[in-house]
Amino acid sequence: MTNARDIVLGRVRDALALAPAGETAVPRAYRSGRTLPDEERLALFTDRLVDYKAQVHPCTADRTAEVVAQVLRDRGAARIGVPPGLDTGWLAAYDGEVRQDSADIPAPRLDALDGVVTASAVSCAETGTIFLDGSPDQGRRALSLVPDLHVCVVDLSTVEVGVPEAVARLVPERPTTLISGPSATSDIELERVEGVHGPRTLAVVIRTDV
């Protein structure tokens, strides 16, 4: 007796058999290589983040710990999670409980955290998108999705103008998470609901001199 899975896979095999042999060249004539001065790039990125209802906190690198701690205090975050490779200096002014994440911790247990602090890989100013690539200072995807607050530290030097420029800085083999504001969706009456698929609050600490 043939099941639905066999039918679908059979059709895929038939389609592949009929496909022309060899690789097909994909045209990539889109714009790339765009740049903007730091001030304009920061202004554009900030504008997009605010439009997505993210909180934006620009600061110099030497104030990272101070600003991160203030953001966490303002949100009442007494217990936070961090990826194993996060710069511990960023938490020097925070007096709450810090739990280092690991793959051995079941994802549901991350819900006990008040928030999470991570770094970032690259960002796109034009779309207000932050890319995480699973590096040690960013952690696994669950860590940035389960807690209700995500404090993400972004170096201005990693903010590119557009999507092509940002994607070019990524390592294709790494798992990539794209964040454009706090998690949000709309119900059938187009009422915005936040925190359904990820953090309800996204706070972006932009280090302007790094």
Side-chain angles (χ1 to χ4, degrees), residues 15-26:
L16 290 174
L18 294 173
E23 296 183 356
T24 301
V26 178

Side-chain angles (χ1 to χ4, degrees), residues 51-120:
D51 191 51
Y52 284 136
K53 301 186 183 303
Q55 302 173 5
V56 182
H57 305 272
C59 69
T60 52
D62 61 346
R63 295 188 61 238
T64 304
E66 173 190 344
V67 174
V68 168
Q70 187 62 55
V71 171
L72 294 172
R73 276 195 297 268
D74 290 346
R75 298 298 304 180
R79 182 189 304 112
I80 65 167
V82 298
L86 189 76
D87 186 340
T88 56
W90 294 357
L91 302 174
Y94 176 64
D95 56 4
E97 179 183 351
V98 178
R99 295 185 178 180
Q100 187 177 107
D101 186 41
S102 76
D104 299 328
I105 299 175
R109 285 178 53 188
L110 298 175
D111 194 42
L113 300 172
D114 297 318
V116 57
V117 179
T118 75
S120 57

Side-chain angles (χ1 to χ4, degrees), residues 124-145:
C124 173
E126 199 168 57
T127 64
T129 303
I130 300 171
F131 297 73
L132 308 183
D133 68 359
S135 293
D137 59 356
Q138 296 155 56
R140 54 177 173 158
R141 182 170 286 131
L143 181 63
S144 61
L145 292 180

Side-chain angles (χ1 to χ4, degrees), residues 4 30 60 154 157 173 180 187 204:
Y30 42 71
T60 52
V154 174
S157 62
E173 293 78 17
S180 295
D187 62 19
V204 184

